[in-house]
Amino acid sequence: MLILIDERGKKYLLNSDQDFHNDLGIIKKEDLQGSNAGDTLETHLGKHIKVVKADVNDLIELMQRRCSILLPKDIGIVISHTGLGCGDRVVDAGTGAGAIALHFANVVGNEGEVHSYEIREDFAQIAQSNIDQFQLDNVEIKNKDIKEGIDEEDVDLVFLDLPKPWEMLESVYGALKTGGWLAVYAPYIEQVQILHRIAKKVGFEEVTTIECILREIEVKVKGTRPKTRMVGHTGYLSFARKL
Amino acid sequence: MLILIDERGKKYLLNSDQDFHNDLGIIKKEDLQGSNAGDTLETHLGKHIKVVKADVNDLIELMQRRCSILLPKDIGIVISHTGLGCGDRVVDAGTGAGAIALHFANVVGNEGEVHSYEIREDFAQIAQSNIDQFQLDNVEIKNKDIKEGIDEEDVDLVFLDLPKPWEMLESVYGALKTGGWLAVYAPYIEQVQILHRIAKKVGFEEVTTIECILREIEVKVKGTRPKTRMVGHTGYLSFARKL
Amino acid sequence: MLILIDERGKKYLLNSDQDFHNDLGIIKKEDLQGSNAGDTLETHLGKHIKVVKADVNDLIELMQRRCSILLPKDIGIVISHTGLGCGDRVVDAGTGAGAIALHFANVVGNEGEVHSYEIREDFAQIAQSNIDQFQLDNVEIKNKDIKEGIDEEDVDLVFLDLPKPWEMLESVYGALKTGGWLAVYAPYIEQVQILHRIAKKVGFEEVTTIECILREIEVKVKGTRPKTRMVGHTGYLSFARKL
Amino acid sequence: MLILIDERGKKYLLNSDQDFHNDLGIIKKEDLQGSNAGDTLETHLGKHIKVVKADVNDLIELMQRRCSILLPKDIGIVISHTGLGCGDRVVDAGTGAGAIALHFANVVGNEGEVHSYEIREDFAQIAQSNIDQFQLDNVEIKNKDIKEGIDEEDVDLVFLDLPKPWEMLESVYGALKTGGWLAVYAPYIEQVQILHRIAKKVGFEEVTTIECILREIEVKVKGTRPKTRMVGHTGYLSFARKL
């Protein structure tokens, strides 16, 4: 998937079905159609616009509505801790605007599948339109309460970002492959405490919780230091494995 | 890929070409051949052994020699920050025992490729034997100094875990796709400072550095708290993009 | 020293030389003169105002101009790491508005002394007026460049919050008692690096640097969690001892 | 108070009532009696021994039995957050070996007082002998359960390091001066949750909890970095004020 980046760093999805136009000028669709990552196009006003291979973070940046979105630090740790890979089958809930589903879809690829449950119809629609826009065939948005049951089987990863993630642990356990992982994102420590108790009761093993504190380092001529302001807490990440 | 987990939690690669035997007994290769994730096999001594779908962390745990290995927290953030996905092309150096190459290979899948440079012959051999053991077709271990040049083109991610990562930034830049990422792991702040300067000079954009502090939370009957001892620092993660 | 706290939590210095009046009414100076910590006074409009024993943080909150002020976390660690106590002699530079001098004065008491160097005349005046307002006899504000020399001898603690703290380490060493401490606050890691080198050259021992990351915990009905936003970095604290 | 430091960095209390002798030789008491901080004495074997002004951390290092001891980072933040100063009156419980009482005594000085409650007789005796050894007149060790009541009044700071600090909050409230502070050290988040609820019920205001994560920075020729291993968690610090 390609995007355009103009001279100000602003990003746009490359859509070669129509001419591109913004306040810096117009590029004809014929020029867009033949372009590749690395090309620099010119608008009729002489402004330069780069064609760039989009990564998943670019797509999320271009999504229509973003709700509250998990930070890459938390998504990345879910991926590496559970060993999510190309071809895997994922269930996630709730979808929100679909950002985490995009990340999972990016990793599992076309041999894999992401089934994303969202109870709210408005969110499910936004997520669907985002998925459509990026032409992803491996994501299914389901406007359904995951508490009513998980339709999928032999799943490698179930990811829950819900107020009461402990309510559906039995069906999560049933849906997972042996060796598969449950990952839960929860901001409050009380959620973690209940989750541990129920997860063990349901039969999960290797139940652990971690928290990632991310610091950005400023490297300037004036000197090097961690940034003055930072995100203090997003959520706890809990993991449990079906063995 | 399947592994066996015995009653003590010890893990073994499932190799159905021969009988399995450890101190808990023997399982005949005929029984191994027909087994699936989720099955429980029994040794001739009546001990139970589970068949489990391995994740990449299981494989790394089973690797022959582990050298110093990047922690999942750092690997995960490299994956999510750069948007690494199924089908991507990766170059990494130095290979070490191949742990990070395994993580990358797991994400990029068979449509993708990992080319891993290692200057030391002994490490390259260990890494190759680990890759062979797991029958990965998408990883190439190269016993070559990456300073002499990068053979690959149109690469999505170049990952460097080397003492002087700034020495080959021009060839990294040349090897990357427009939109591709450089990611660098370096324990010392002096390395970060030099890297920022050279990366900008070479033409990289969005040059940033972060550090992930990971806390494990203990959830026990006695109470909930972060663990008393923790890893204080592994390395800084720096990112730069070719745009 | 007493302060008044009105029904909205607003604080005022108790000055019994004159009537107190704000928008909640008037309290006559005769009533103020006889009041003690714990009393509740009433304005002529029937509003309640409490008399409270001020702590040093109340005074700093009431200071005229606050410039950039060290956080209690950093001040406290300087005090406990160097074992600052009642009766000690302290030199600090630069003074700023005098907040850290107030903290030191609070600990060393009337048997101790704080000598605070400030190169800028405007800051020195502000600091002096703050000290006067709180009627502290144990703080001397000096409008002088500490690089020109330290007048005091047999000092227990020298605290430096300056851009180039390494420039005066020889005179700091001369001013300190054997067993006394140098403490330095510096935001950039480059400052720390130079400081370590020079401090060892000058003869200091036990040269160390620490950083304190402070997290506030929210305990609410909704749940318990670290705050979403936090201060990511204030400064590094370096210590060195004359032995 | 003076200590001796030998050529290996080993510390001893200077006791001028008798000759000093260790494996590096003997120093006669006459030589000790006339010595001052900064002097270098010589043993009869020609070894050098320095006379140094002890700080409170030296004394704690020399204490007979250390039990588990609060780290300076936590003690310092208690001091600075509550504005503890020279002349203040402190109650603490439980005493342990008396390390925190030593820190408080060091700050409040001879015009101040520290009353330290310890329920276990053996700990109280150890603490008493430590206090005696350092000839502190401003610390009273009480072998008494603080739950039975606090004898002191008009206290500036009550510090609790107990498994159930919420059990005596009413008597703490009664003992404190208006404007005085309660500070609580507790390792588990469950303790913090109960404490907040009870403290508010009893009438405390400004109830807050913080946690200090301390990182040590290594500055070496090889490079600068936070230490690989660190203390991940000691305890939460909660504060509440009587207003």
Side-chain angles (χ1 to χ4, degrees):
Chain A
M1 187 139 237
L2 298 176
I3 54 170
L4 301 174
I5 305 187
D6 69 22
E7 297 180 353
R8 299 161 304 193
K10 221 179 154 187
K11 296 173 185 171
Y12 310 83
L13 270 192
L14 187 157
N15 178 355
S16 58
D17 293 343
Q18 52 185 65
D19 293 352
F20 169 83
H21 55 95
N22 72 357
D23 56 319
L24 301 181
I26 295 171
I27 299 173
K28 290 212 185 300
K29 67 178 175 183
E30 292 75 28
D31 295 337
L32 294 171
Q33 280 159 6
S35 67
N36 296 305
D39 291 352
T40 299
L41 306 179
E42 208 174 308
T43 69
H44 79 290
L45 298 176
K47 300 292 185 182
H48 293 99
I49 296 201
K50 267 187 197 163
V51 182
V52 172
K53 181 225 161 196
D55 64 29
V56 63
N57 296 304
D58 292 323
L59 300 186
I60 290 170
E61 199 180 323
L62 288 168
M63 278 182 4
Q64 282 175 304
R65 268 183 52 188
R66 302 185 59 203
C67 317
S68 68
I69 279 184
L70 255 72
L71 294 187
K73 71 176 180 86
D74 294 316
I75 297 171
I77 289 174
V78 168
I79 292 170
S80 60
H81 190 104
T82 66
L84 188 71
C86 183
D88 281 354
R89 293 163 55 85
V90 179
V91 165
D92 93 272
T95 310
I100 187 121
L102 276 180
H103 266 283
F104 290 149
N106 182 53
V107 167
V108 303
N110 286 325
E111 301 167 49
E113 299 168 18
V114 179
H115 304 273
S116 189
Y117 290 70
E118 173 58 54
I119 195 172
R120 283 179 55 172
E121 198 179 348
D122 54 343
F123 281 175
Q125 281 172 351
I126 292 166
Q128 188 63 56
S129 78
N130 284 324
I131 298 302
D132 291 346
Q133 187 183 22
F134 305 138
Q135 299 163 10
L136 299 179
D137 296 329
N138 58 353
V139 182
E140 178 195 18
I141 305 293
K142 306 172 92 152
N143 180 204
K144 184 180 161 183
D145 186 352
I146 194 171
K147 258 197 291 183
E148 291 167 15
I150 296 176
D151 309 321
E152 292 73 26
E153 293 182 342
D154 274 329
V155 172
D156 296 282
L157 169 64
V158 175
F159 175 78
L160 302 178
D161 174 9
L162 297 167
K164 299 184 179 178
W166 52 83
E167 291 182 330
M168 63 284 302
L169 292 197
E170 293 205 19
S171 62
V172 168
Y173 194 87
L176 284 171
K177 202 173 284 189
T178 301
W181 286 95
L182 163 68
V184 176
Y185 174 89
Y188 297 109
I189 195 69
E190 287 87 350
Q191 296 170 298
V192 171
Q193 291 165 333
I194 302 174
L195 185 79
H196 271 243
R197 192 162 41 79
I198 308 288
K200 285 171 189 165
K201 211 166 129 188
V202 167
F204 280 102
E205 299 187 38
E206 299 182 19
V207 184
T208 57
T209 294
I210 59 179
E211 185 194 6
C212 170
I213 304 176
L214 195 88
R215 307 186 88 191
E216 293 176 72
I217 311 294
E218 277 182 7
V219 182
K220 297 195 174 170
V221 175
K222 208 175 161 189
T224 304
R225 50 170 290 172
K227 275 202 178 167
T228 298
R229 300 293 307 173
M230 68 184 271
V231 174
H233 178 73
T234 52
Y236 296 102
L237 293 172
S238 298
F239 298 98
R241 197 175 188 189
K242 178 178 177 177
L243 283 181
Chain B
M1 187 141 236
L2 297 176
I3 54 170
L4 302 173
I5 305 188
D6 70 22
E7 296 179 355
R8 300 161 304 195
K10 219 177 156 190
K11 297 173 185 171
Y12 309 84
L13 269 191
L14 187 157
N15 177 354
S16 59
D17 293 343
Q18 53 185 61
D19 293 352
F20 169 84
H21 54 96
N22 71 358
D23 56 320
L24 301 182
I26 296 171
I27 299 173
K28 290 212 186 301
K29 67 177 175 184
E30 291 76 27
D31 294 337
L32 294 172
Q33 280 158 6
S35 66
N36 296 306
D39 292 351
T40 299
L41 307 179
E42 207 175 309
T43 70
H44 79 291
L45 298 176
K47 300 294 185 182
H48 292 98
I49 296 201
K50 265 189 198 162
V51 182
V52 173
K53 181 225 161 196
D55 65 29
V56 64
N57 296 303
D58 293 323
L59 300 186
I60 290 170
E61 200 180 324
L62 289 167
M63 278 183 1
Q64 283 176 302
R65 269 180 53 187
R66 302 184 60 202
C67 318
S68 68
I69 279 183
L70 255 72
L71 294 187
K73 72 177 179 86
D74 294 316
I75 297 171
I77 289 175
V78 168
I79 293 170
S80 59
H81 191 103
T82 65
L84 188 73
C86 183
D88 280 354
R89 293 161 56 84
V90 179
V91 165
D92 94 272
T95 310
I100 187 119
L102 276 179
H103 267 282
F104 290 148
N106 183 53
V107 167
V108 302
N110 287 323
E111 300 167 48
E113 299 168 18
V114 179
H115 304 274
S116 189
Y117 290 70
E118 172 57 55
I119 195 171
R120 282 180 55 173
E121 198 179 347
D122 54 344
F123 280 175
Q125 282 172 351
I126 292 166
Q128 187 64 56
S129 78
N130 284 324
I131 298 302
D132 291 346
Q133 188 183 21
F134 305 138
Q135 299 163 9
L136 299 179
D137 297 328
N138 57 354
V139 181
E140 178 195 19
I141 306 292
K142 305 172 93 152
N143 180 203
K144 184 179 160 184
D145 186 351
I146 195 171
K147 259 196 291 180
E148 292 167 14
I150 296 176
D151 308 322
E152 292 73 25
E153 293 181 342
D154 274 328
V155 172
D156 296 281
L157 169 64
V158 175
F159 175 78
L160 302 178
D161 174 9
L162 297 169
K164 299 184 179 178
W166 52 83
E167 291 182 330
M168 64 283 301
L169 292 197
E170 293 205 18
S171 62
V172 168
Y173 194 88
L176 284 172
K177 203 173 284 188
T178 301
W181 284 96
L182 164 68
V184 175
Y185 173 89
Y188 297 108
I189 196 68
E190 287 86 350
Q191 295 171 297
V192 171
Q193 291 165 332
I194 301 174
L195 186 78
H196 271 242
R197 191 161 43 79
I198 307 287
K200 285 172 189 166
K201 210 164 131 188
V202 167
F204 280 101
E205 299 187 36
E206 298 182 20
V207 184
T208 57
T209 294
I210 59 178
E211 187 193 5
C212 170
I213 304 176
L214 195 89
R215 306 187 89 190
E216 294 176 72
I217 311 296
E218 277 183 8
V219 182
K220 298 194 173 169
V221 176
K222 209 175 160 187
T224 305
R225 49 170 291 171
K227 275 202 176 166
T228 299
R229 298 294 307 173
M230 69 184 270
V231 174
H233 178 73
T234 53
Y236 296 102
L237 293 173
S238 299
F239 298 98
R241 197 174 190 190
K242 178 177 177 177
L243 284 180
Chain C
M1 187 140 238
L2 298 176
I3 54 171
L4 302 173
I5 305 187
D6 70 22
E7 296 179 354
R8 301 161 302 194
K10 219 177 156 191
K11 296 172 185 172
Y12 309 84
L13 269 191
L14 187 156
N15 178 354
S16 58
D17 293 343
Q18 53 185 64
D19 293 352
F20 169 84
H21 54 96
N22 71 358
D23 56 319
L24 300 181
I26 296 171
I27 300 174
K28 291 212 185 302
K29 67 176 175 183
E30 292 74 27
D31 295 336
L32 295 171
Q33 280 159 6
S35 67
N36 296 306
D39 291 352
T40 299
L41 307 179
E42 207 175 309
T43 69
H44 79 291
L45 298 176
K47 301 293 185 182
H48 293 98
I49 297 202
K50 264 187 198 163
V51 182
V52 173
K53 181 225 161 195
D55 64 29
V56 63
N57 296 303
D58 292 323
L59 300 187
I60 290 170
E61 202 181 323
L62 289 168
M63 278 184 0
Q64 283 177 302
R65 270 180 53 188
R66 302 186 58 203
C67 316
S68 68
I69 278 184
L70 256 71
L71 293 187
K73 72 176 180 86
D74 294 316
I75 297 171
I77 289 175
V78 168
I79 293 170
S80 60
H81 190 102
T82 65
L84 189 72
C86 183
D88 281 353
R89 293 160 57 84
V90 179
V91 165
D92 95 271
T95 310
I100 186 119
L102 276 179
H103 266 283
F104 289 149
N106 182 53
V107 168
V108 303
N110 287 324
E111 301 167 47
E113 300 168 17
V114 179
H115 305 273
S116 191
Y117 290 69
E118 173 57 56
I119 195 171
R120 283 179 55 172
E121 199 179 346
D122 53 345
F123 281 175
Q125 280 171 353
I126 292 166
Q128 187 63 56
S129 77
N130 284 324
I131 297 302
D132 291 345
Q133 186 182 23
F134 304 137
Q135 298 162 12
L136 299 179
D137 296 329
N138 58 354
V139 182
E140 177 194 21
I141 306 292
K142 305 171 92 153
N143 180 203
K144 183 179 161 184
D145 185 350
I146 194 172
K147 258 197 291 181
E148 292 167 15
I150 296 176
D151 308 323
E152 291 74 25
E153 293 182 342
D154 274 328
V155 172
D156 295 281
L157 168 64
V158 175
F159 175 78
L160 302 178
D161 175 8
L162 297 168
K164 299 186 179 177
W166 52 83
E167 292 182 330
M168 64 285 300
L169 291 198
E170 292 204 20
S171 61
V172 168
Y173 193 87
L176 284 172
K177 202 172 283 189
T178 300
W181 285 96
L182 164 68
V184 175
Y185 174 89
Y188 296 109
I189 195 68
E190 287 86 350
Q191 295 170 298
V192 170
Q193 291 166 331
I194 302 174
L195 186 78
H196 271 242
R197 191 161 42 79
I198 308 287
K200 284 171 189 166
K201 211 166 130 188
V202 166
F204 280 102
E205 299 188 36
E206 299 182 20
V207 184
T208 57
T209 295
I210 59 179
E211 187 193 5
C212 170
I213 304 176
L214 195 88
R215 305 188 90 191
E216 294 175 72
I217 311 295
E218 277 183 7
V219 182
K220 298 194 173 170
V221 176
K222 208 175 164 188
T224 305
R225 48 169 293 172
K227 275 202 177 166
T228 298
R229 300 294 306 174
M230 69 185 269
V231 174
H233 178 73
T234 52
Y236 296 102
L237 293 173
S238 298
F239 298 98
R241 196 174 190 191
K242 178 177 176 178
L243 284 180
Chain D
M1 187 140 236
L2 298 176
I3 55 170
L4 301 174
I5 305 187
D6 69 22
E7 296 179 355
R8 300 161 305 195
K10 219 178 156 189
K11 296 173 184 172
Y12 309 83
L13 269 191
L14 187 157
N15 178 354
S16 58
D17 293 343
Q18 53 185 65
D19 293 351
F20 169 83
H21 54 95
N22 72 357
D23 56 319
L24 300 182
I26 296 169
I27 300 174
K28 290 210 185 302
K29 67 177 175 184
E30 292 76 28
D31 295 336
L32 295 171
Q33 279 158 8
S35 66
N36 296 305
D39 292 351
T40 299
L41 306 179
E42 207 174 309
T43 70
H44 79 291
L45 298 176
K47 301 292 185 183
H48 293 99
I49 296 201
K50 266 188 196 160
V51 182
V52 172
K53 182 227 160 194
D55 64 28
V56 64
N57 295 304
D58 293 322
L59 300 186
I60 289 170
E61 200 181 324
L62 289 168
M63 278 182 2
Q64 282 176 304
R65 269 183 52 188
R66 302 184 57 203
C67 317
S68 69
I69 279 184
L70 255 71
L71 293 187
K73 71 176 180 86
D74 293 317
I75 297 171
I77 289 175
V78 168
I79 292 170
S80 59
H81 190 104
T82 66
L84 188 72
C86 184
D88 281 354
R89 293 162 56 85
V90 179
V91 165
D92 93 273
T95 311
I100 187 120
L102 275 179
H103 266 283
F104 290 149
N106 183 52
V107 167
V108 303
N110 286 324
E111 301 167 48
E113 298 168 18
V114 179
H115 304 273
S116 189
Y117 289 70
E118 173 58 54
I119 195 171
R120 283 180 56 172
E121 197 179 348
D122 53 344
F123 280 176
Q125 281 172 352
I126 292 165
Q128 187 63 57
S129 78
N130 284 324
I131 298 301
D132 291 346
Q133 187 182 22
F134 305 138
Q135 298 162 11
L136 299 178
D137 295 329
N138 57 354
V139 181
E140 178 194 19
I141 305 293
K142 305 172 94 152
N143 180 202
K144 183 179 162 184
D145 185 353
I146 194 172
K147 258 197 291 182
E148 291 166 16
I150 296 175
D151 309 322
E152 292 72 26
E153 293 182 341
D154 273 330
V155 172
D156 295 281
L157 169 64
V158 175
F159 175 78
L160 302 177
D161 175 8
L162 297 167
K164 299 184 178 178
W166 51 84
E167 291 182 331
M168 63 282 302
L169 291 197
E170 294 205 18
S171 62
V172 168
Y173 194 87
L176 284 171
K177 201 173 285 190
T178 301
W181 285 95
L182 164 68
V184 175
Y185 174 89
Y188 296 109
I189 195 70
E190 288 86 350
Q191 295 171 297
V192 170
Q193 291 165 332
I194 302 174
L195 185 78
H196 271 243
R197 192 163 41 79
I198 308 288
K200 285 171 189 166
K201 210 167 131 187
V202 167
F204 280 102
E205 299 187 37
E206 300 183 19
V207 184
T208 57
T209 294
I210 60 179
E211 186 194 4
C212 170
I213 304 176
L214 195 88
R215 307 187 89 190
E216 294 176 72
I217 311 296
E218 276 182 9
V219 182
K220 297 194 174 170
V221 175
K222 210 176 161 188
T224 305
R225 48 170 291 170
K227 275 202 178 168
T228 299
R229 299 293 307 173
M230 68 184 270
V231 174
H233 179 73
T234 53
Y236 296 102
L237 293 173
S238 298
F239 298 99
R241 198 174 189 189
K242 178 176 176 178
L243 284 181

